[in-house]
């Protein structure tokens, strides 16, 4: 009796295992019966199936990332660019997904074609300057919208497409850098020429100001010297009038001091008036 109960419990457990399955909250589940999808489960939980003839196909319902390889694209001004982009996507219709691409790898292959073609089409309507320094958000919005419309038939929703990097090919990069360098040199030369011209103007103005200041200073100096000489002559005249003999002696003494320096030899007659105060 105990053995029969045990076999009965085992049978019930086996039957429960064969007729049930669990859908995780990160998944959708599709029941495939004899090769045809019959039921789609979008909600998580415990589900029932017919054993042996039913298979369960699970589809990830999380937001996934698609990272493309860099590809060459020609812009409106016929410039080639290497564009590296990525996208975020999710499965919204698991039945369409199963019927068209079957797996994440198949979806990635479809996305590669869709996103690359839409990126090439949208960027082809813009110049390289608009792509690099223009409104890139508007460009990305256009690419996302067009890619989403093309991906709907596969049960896929593309939520965002972004460009990670947009470079010129190496040969074009060298040419562009060469033109940029030449342009910077031209601008630098222009700035230097303007600077030298301005410096010359400043130096010329400074020289004019210096000449004007020196002339004014010389004029003032001569006026002061003239006034001083006049004052000195006035003083000398007043002193001469008070004591002509002393004034003559003082002036002769000044001449002696200026003329008869050390190691000076003067050959003259002693009767000369020059020596009258030395006799």
């Amino acid at each position: 009796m105990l053995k029969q109960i045990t076999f009965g419990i085992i049978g019930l457990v086996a039957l429960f295992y064969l007729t049930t399955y669990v859908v995780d909250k990160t998944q959708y589940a599709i029941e495939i019966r004899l090769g045809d999808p019959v039921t789609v489960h979008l909600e998580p939980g415990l589900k029932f199936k017919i054993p042996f003839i039913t298979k369960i196909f699970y589809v990830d319902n999380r937001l996934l990332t698609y990272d493309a390889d860099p590809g060459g694209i020609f812009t409106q001004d016929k410039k080639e660019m290497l564009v590296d982009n990525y996208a975020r996507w999710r499965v919204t219709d698991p039945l369409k997904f199963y019927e068209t691409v079957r797996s994440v790898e198949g979806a990635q292959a479809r996305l590669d074609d869709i996103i690359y073609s839409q990126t090439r089409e949208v960027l082809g309507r813009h110049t390289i300057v608009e792509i690099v320094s223009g409104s890139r958000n508007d460009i990305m919005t256009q690419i996302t919208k067009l890619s989403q419309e093309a991906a709907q038939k596969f049960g896929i929703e593309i939520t965002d497409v972004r460009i990670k990097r947009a470079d010129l090919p190496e040969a074009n990069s060298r040419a562009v850098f060469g033109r940029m360098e030449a342009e910077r040199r031209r601008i630098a030369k222009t700035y230097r020429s303007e600077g030298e011209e301005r410096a010359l103007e400043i130096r010329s103005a400074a020289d004019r100001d210096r000449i004007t200041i020196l002339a004014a200073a010389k004029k003032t100096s001569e006026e002061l010297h003239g006034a001083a000489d006049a004052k000195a002559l006035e003083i000398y005249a007043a002193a001469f009038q008070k004591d002509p003999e002393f004034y003559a002696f003082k002036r002769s003494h000044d001449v002696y001091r200026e003329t008869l320096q050390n190691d000076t030899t003067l050959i003259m007659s002693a009767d000369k008036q020059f020596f009258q105060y030395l006799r």
Side-chain angles (χ1 to χ4, degrees):
M1 185 66 179
L2 181 60
K3 183 181 293 187
Q4 293 176 349
I5 294 175
T6 302
F7 280 117
I9 294 174
I10 294 174
L12 291 175
V13 171
L15 180 63
F16 181 80
Y17 177 77
L18 292 173
T19 57
T20 60
Y21 62 96
V22 176
V23 179
D24 190 76
K25 63 181 180 180
T26 63
Q27 296 174 325
Y28 299 132
I30 303 175
E31 291 186 12
I32 310 298
R33 190 175 304 160
L34 299 177
D36 297 324
V38 292
T39 306
V40 178
H41 296 285
L42 303 179
E43 299 297 330
L46 181 65
K47 310 296 179 182
F48 294 92
K49 65 178 180 177
I50 299 175
F52 305 114
I53 63 172
T54 302
K55 294 182 179 179
I56 307 301
F57 180 80
Y58 293 101
V59 179
D60 198 326
N61 62 12
R62 292 173 293 184
L63 191 65
L64 304 176
T65 300
Y66 159 78
D67 193 354
D69 295 329
I73 291 174
F74 285 92
T75 61
Q76 187 181 40
D77 49 354
K78 307 305 180 184
K79 303 293 184 181
E80 184 181 6
M81 296 186 68
L82 293 178
V83 177
D84 186 6
N85 55 18
Y86 72 93
R88 296 185 179 277
W89 64 282
R90 63 162 57 93
V91 177
T92 55
D93 190 334
L95 184 57
K96 281 186 179 181
F97 183 84
Y98 172 78
E99 292 175 343
T100 54
V101 296
R102 292 294 179 99
S103 64
V104 172
E105 290 75 15
Q108 297 278 18
R110 294 289 187 176
L111 290 175
D112 190 63
D113 295 335
I114 293 172
I115 295 176
Y116 176 71
S117 62
Q118 300 304 330
T119 301
R120 182 176 58 187
E121 178 182 349
V122 173
L123 296 186
R125 298 197 296 262
H126 295 79
T127 64
I128 189 171
V129 175
E130 293 172 345
I131 296 171
V132 174
S133 60
S135 181
R136 186 176 293 188
N137 286 334
D138 293 340
I139 295 175
M140 292 296 95
T141 301
Q142 295 177 33
I143 296 175
T144 302
K145 181 179 179 181
L146 294 176
S147 300
Q148 167 60 23
E149 293 174 356
Q152 286 180 351
K153 61 184 178 182
F154 303 109
I156 296 173
E157 177 189 10
I158 298 177
T159 61
D160 193 20
V161 178
R162 292 290 163 182
I163 293 178
K164 292 193 297 184
R165 188 171 181 178
D167 292 329
L168 294 173
E170 186 176 354
N172 291 359
S173 297
R174 288 196 298 267
V176 170
F177 290 151
R179 289 196 297 270
M180 291 174 61
E181 185 177 3
E183 179 66 14
R184 295 299 181 271
R185 286 178 179 174
R186 185 189 65 78
I187 294 173
K189 186 177 180 180
T190 302
Y191 286 159
R192 290 192 187 98
S193 299
E194 293 176 353
E196 291 174 357
E197 181 180 356
R198 182 59 181 159
L200 183 59
E201 293 176 357
I202 293 173
R203 283 195 291 266
S204 299
D207 290 340
R208 289 195 300 269
D209 293 342
R210 181 178 64 86
I211 293 172
T212 302
I213 293 171
L214 290 177
K218 185 176 181 180
K219 177 182 177 182
T220 303
S221 175
E222 290 178 351
E223 291 175 351
L224 292 175
H225 277 98
D229 290 342
K231 186 66 175 177
L233 290 175
E234 183 182 349
I235 294 172
Y236 290 152
F240 179 75
Q241 291 177 359
K242 288 182 179 180
D243 192 347
E245 183 65 24
F246 176 76
Y247 180 75
F249 172 77
K250 175 67 171 56
R251 296 294 293 173
S252 298
H253 182 271
D254 291 340
V255 173
Y256 294 155
R257 185 172 57 185
E258 295 295 331
T259 306
L260 303 177
Q261 300 291 334
N262 293 336
D263 299 327
T264 300
T265 301
L266 185 62
I267 301 176
M268 296 179 64
S269 174
D271 296 333
K272 294 291 184 180
Q273 188 178 2
F274 181 76
F275 295 110
Q276 63 178 331
Y277 293 106
L278 294 178
R279 297 190 188 99

